[in-house]
Amino acid sequence: MKALTARGLTKVYRKGKQPALDSLDLEIESGQIFTMLGRNGAGKTTFLRIASTQLLPTSGSVTVLGLDAVKEAKALRERIAIAPQEAETIYPLTPRDHVLLGLRMRGMEKEEAAKRAREALEDLELTDVADTNSDWLSGGLKQRVIVAMVVRTDADLIFLDEPTIGLDPVNRRRVWDQLTRLKRTGKTIILTTHYMDEAEALSDSLVIINKGKVMAAGTPRSVKAAVTSRTTRVDVFDSFDRSELGAFGHVVTIAGRYRVLTDASGARRLGDEAVARNASIAISPVTLDDVFVDIVGEAEREGENGS
Amino acid sequence: MGARKTLRSLWAIMYYLGFTPMIRNPLFMAFVFSTPFTLLFILFVASNGTALPYGLAGALTMITTELGLFVGTDLASYKLQNRFQDMVVASPVSPLIYMFGVALSELIFGAPALIILFGLIAGQGASLAALVSCLGVVILLWVTTTSLGFFFSAYAPNTQNAFIINGFITTMLSVLPPVYYSVNVLPPYLVPLAVVIPTTEASSLFQGAIGLGYSIEPAWGFGALLAATFIMLLAVSFRMKWRES
């Protein structure tokens, strides 16, 4: 069963020159963790805001949990929850107050809300600071408070817009654990992120979007496999020009160094050449990060050439 | 959302956005008290107590106006800074319940000041009927200024501007017009301008109830205040942006 279906979804902001979403088609299965990957301004938040009934599309349709997000927004709002991007805690509420506010404003009874608030605070390891003024908490703790406000709601589908932004690796994994737990309870999670490792570790399926268009979609494995001829990456530290490396595979520039995305034989040939030149290289399998940079970088270059 | 859930929702918004902050940080209350009671004190001292009734009518008008307009600042903050409104929109909470909850939460901050002012007005010898009519005027003025707060919050590009705009409008509505003084002391050419301002009508009605005599015909005052309330509610309903386009 589909949790979300978008058809030709387009959004052009009044002051925008380019569409934020450009005829986007998308399908998301129920009970999955689905990730949207993209650069800043790629259209991820716009998509989430339309699907979560906060923003009207310019054209196209989006059906969430079988309900039209435009025409049946009221019914849909009973079944969704969102942790928005860059949300801030409210002074002088404590983490417990925030979670209780999130639950009780949805009409939950006091006792049930108190029980779920305790669970949410435990889930996000906020129990020790549950009754501390949120203003005194670190940025990472505040971010977890925002996530805690939605994880124990009775929503069937939860949107999380960059829920781990600004969190250290340990805290990111705490949030990941909760998203995995939520998935086990049958909920659908739709999140946006910049972190490729997050998408790779969590997602049942994902989409890479750029300038409002879908660049790649599928499971993390299938998206990586979409660049089947580029299963291996070779980081080249010295002794090669970009033009020379083009003979071994697709070259991208990472922090001023060249990375060649290639297949096993290309990597072998480049390795032999590096030995002959006494050059430093490092060979490893491609990651989602490489695929992202490859796909988005390619689109950027096409855009530059076209304009 | 059924009726019981709706009431729980309204209570939660009021409790966590109004009552809890007031208990945790009583400075919020002091902020509401500060300007109206300062002006009341200045009038009281400068007039050797004779202008106290005008001060009371003015303070009641100003606090009610502040409480309404602060709603706009709160809404701008919840929308633009905390992003709390995004969470509310994508939830079963209706726009009306959210607005009403935020407005009532603001009223909670002002409740102690309003209680003190009603006590002082009663101490001036106002009858029960006069106090009830004052309460009615407070409610009408609160709805009008709350709607005005909503209206401006929809245009505020950021929380700083919302704060500045609402502070400016509070002064324009409750210090400059005949709120702490009688409309009769204005030069005649300014009177028509003053009587179209809802705070002038409200203060005149308070002044009458306290026993200073009505400087504007009470029926006209109530009528004008009701009309202002209706117009502002209408303006808000057209301008309200729950789902953005």
Side-chain angles (χ1 to χ4, degrees):
Chain A
M1 190 190 159
K2 299 281 181 278
L4 187 149
T5 308
R7 292 277 175 260
L9 197 63
T10 301
K11 178 68 191 177
V12 184
Y13 289 104
R14 252 175 248 158
K15 290 177 184 170
K17 288 175 187 167
Q18 287 183 325
L21 291 178
D22 192 355
S23 298
L24 191 121
D25 293 320
L26 202 60
E27 286 189 347
I28 300 171
E29 294 293 331
S30 290
Q32 281 198 346
I33 296 179
F34 179 87
T35 306
M36 297 193 91
L37 284 164
R39 298 175 64 186
N40 293 328
K44 307 184 298 289
T45 297
T46 299
F47 177 80
L48 244 59
R49 285 175 62 79
I50 291 172
S52 62
T53 75
Q54 297 175 60
L55 182 69
L56 289 167
T58 306
S59 61
S61 68
V62 57
T63 306
V64 183
L65 302 171
L67 297 161
D68 187 310
V70 175
K71 293 175 189 155
E72 297 169 293
K74 196 177 171 192
L76 177 57
R77 286 169 180 151
E78 299 272 350
R79 299 180 59 194
I80 59 170
I82 187 167
Q85 189 182 5
E86 292 174 355
E88 289 181 16
T89 52
I90 299 168
Y91 175 81
L93 301 186
T94 64
R96 191 187 308 279
D97 293 332
H98 278 88
V99 180
L100 283 169
L101 172 62
L103 295 170
R104 297 201 63 201
M105 77 176 185
R106 298 177 72 95
M108 200 175 282
E109 284 186 20
K110 191 178 176 182
E111 293 74 20
E112 179 66 14
K115 177 177 159 279
R116 291 200 193 194
R118 267 196 309 277
E119 291 168 349
L121 293 164
E122 281 167 19
D123 290 345
L124 274 303
E125 296 187 33
L126 291 164
T127 308
D128 290 346
V129 294
D131 299 309
T132 305
N133 185 333
S134 296
D135 253 27
W136 302 341
L137 304 179
S138 67
L141 284 169
K142 285 179 184 172
Q143 181 67 21
R144 275 150 60 191
V145 171
I146 301 298
V147 175
M149 287 177 80
V150 296
V151 292
R152 290 283 174 169
T153 59
D154 43 16
D156 298 319
L157 191 157
I158 298 175
F159 296 95
L160 298 138
D161 198 354
E162 300 192 5
T164 59
I165 198 156
L167 294 185
D168 62 53
V170 174
N171 283 322
R172 282 175 65 206
R173 276 157 185 79
R174 278 184 188 141
V175 174
W176 294 3
D177 288 345
Q178 286 319 303
L179 301 186
T180 311
R181 182 195 63 76
L182 280 173
K183 188 185 118 176
R184 282 199 298 270
T185 64
K187 293 183 193 291
T188 305
I189 315 293
I190 299 178
L191 71 133
T192 69
T193 184
H194 291 300
Y195 301 120
M196 302 302 140
D197 58 336
E198 186 162 296
E200 204 156 5
L202 279 177
S203 315
D204 295 297
S205 57
L206 60 88
V207 64
I208 296 175
I209 65 170
N210 191 48
K211 293 184 178 174
K213 287 184 175 171
V214 173
M215 307 305 292
T219 63
R221 179 176 284 196
S222 74
V223 169
K224 279 196 284 184
V227 281
T228 45
S229 59
R230 298 166 188 166
T231 54
T232 309
R233 75 182 193 190
V234 185
D235 286 310
V236 180
F237 300 104
D238 53 44
S239 306
F240 286 91
D241 292 334
R242 185 178 182 124
S243 56
E244 289 177 291
L245 292 170
F248 299 99
H250 181 70
V251 186
V252 292
T253 307
I254 309 279
R257 287 179 181 159
Y258 298 125
R259 176 172 289 172
V260 183
L261 303 175
T262 183
D263 57 9
S265 84
R268 205 172 294 122
R269 285 190 294 114
L270 181 52
D272 291 343
E273 187 62 32
V275 169
R277 296 188 190 192
N278 200 21
S280 302
I281 62 166
I283 300 175
S284 52
V286 291
T287 64
L288 200 55
D289 205 26
D290 299 315
V291 174
F292 179 81
V293 172
D294 191 17
I295 290 173
V296 173
E298 193 70 47
E300 294 294 319
R301 277 190 296 280
E302 278 172 16
E304 281 162 19
N305 292 338
S307 59
Chain B
M1 198 187 258
R4 291 185 72 166
K5 278 191 169 186
T6 302
L7 280 177
R8 278 189 219 126
S9 176
L10 180 66
W11 172 254
I13 293 167
M14 267 172 56
Y15 182 80
Y16 289 107
L17 300 183
F19 188 71
T20 306
M22 186 179 79
I23 297 297
R24 298 260 168 80
N25 190 354
L27 271 178
F28 283 127
M29 262 191 300
F31 183 62
V32 175
F33 273 75
S34 58
T35 312
F37 278 83
T38 302
L39 290 172
L40 172 64
F41 178 74
I42 290 168
L43 271 181
F44 176 72
V45 172
S47 68
N48 277 330
T50 56
L52 177 66
Y54 282 107
L56 290 173
L60 195 53
T61 308
M62 189 178 200
I63 282 179
T64 310
T65 306
E66 272 184 348
L67 294 175
L69 290 171
F70 283 167
V71 172
T73 313
D74 281 354
L75 283 177
S77 173
Y78 296 144
K79 181 182 170 187
L80 302 167
Q81 191 175 327
N82 302 105
R83 304 271 172 195
F84 174 63
Q85 190 171 313
D86 288 355
M87 298 180 103
V88 178
V89 173
S91 82
V93 181
S94 72
L96 195 66
I97 290 299
Y98 175 62
M99 303 290 166
F100 199 43
V102 173
L104 287 174
S105 75
E106 200 61 65
L107 198 58
I108 289 171
F109 290 121
L114 290 174
I115 290 166
I116 289 170
L117 282 173
F118 270 92
L120 290 171
I121 290 169
Q124 292 289 304
S127 66
L128 185 63
L131 290 173
V132 171
S133 82
C134 282
L135 187 64
V137 173
V138 164
I139 291 168
L140 278 182
L141 184 61
W142 176 67
V143 173
T144 307
T145 53
T146 298
S147 307
L148 201 62
F150 285 150
F151 188 79
F152 284 111
S153 76
Y155 285 97
N158 53 55
T159 49
Q160 288 84 355
N161 272 17
F163 193 78
I164 291 165
I165 290 168
N166 284 329
F168 176 74
I169 296 169
T170 302
T171 307
M172 288 297 110
L173 286 182
S174 53
V175 179
L176 208 55
V179 166
Y180 279 90
Y181 57 92
S182 168
V183 72
N184 294 331
V185 302
L186 278 177
Y189 65 90
L190 283 178
V191 172
L193 191 67
V195 296
V196 297
I197 300 172
T199 45
T200 305
E201 315 294 348
S203 186
S204 167
L205 290 166
F206 292 142
Q207 288 167 11
I210 293 170
L212 292 167
Y214 292 97
S215 47
I216 298 170
E217 183 62 36
W220 163 262
F222 263 116
L225 203 52
L226 263 174
T229 308
F230 179 72
I231 289 166
M232 279 318 303
L233 282 173
L234 208 63
V236 165
S237 65
F238 279 117
R239 183 55 205 168
M240 265 291 302
K241 283 201 286 187
W242 191 237
R243 176 150 50 171
E244 290 171 36
S245 55

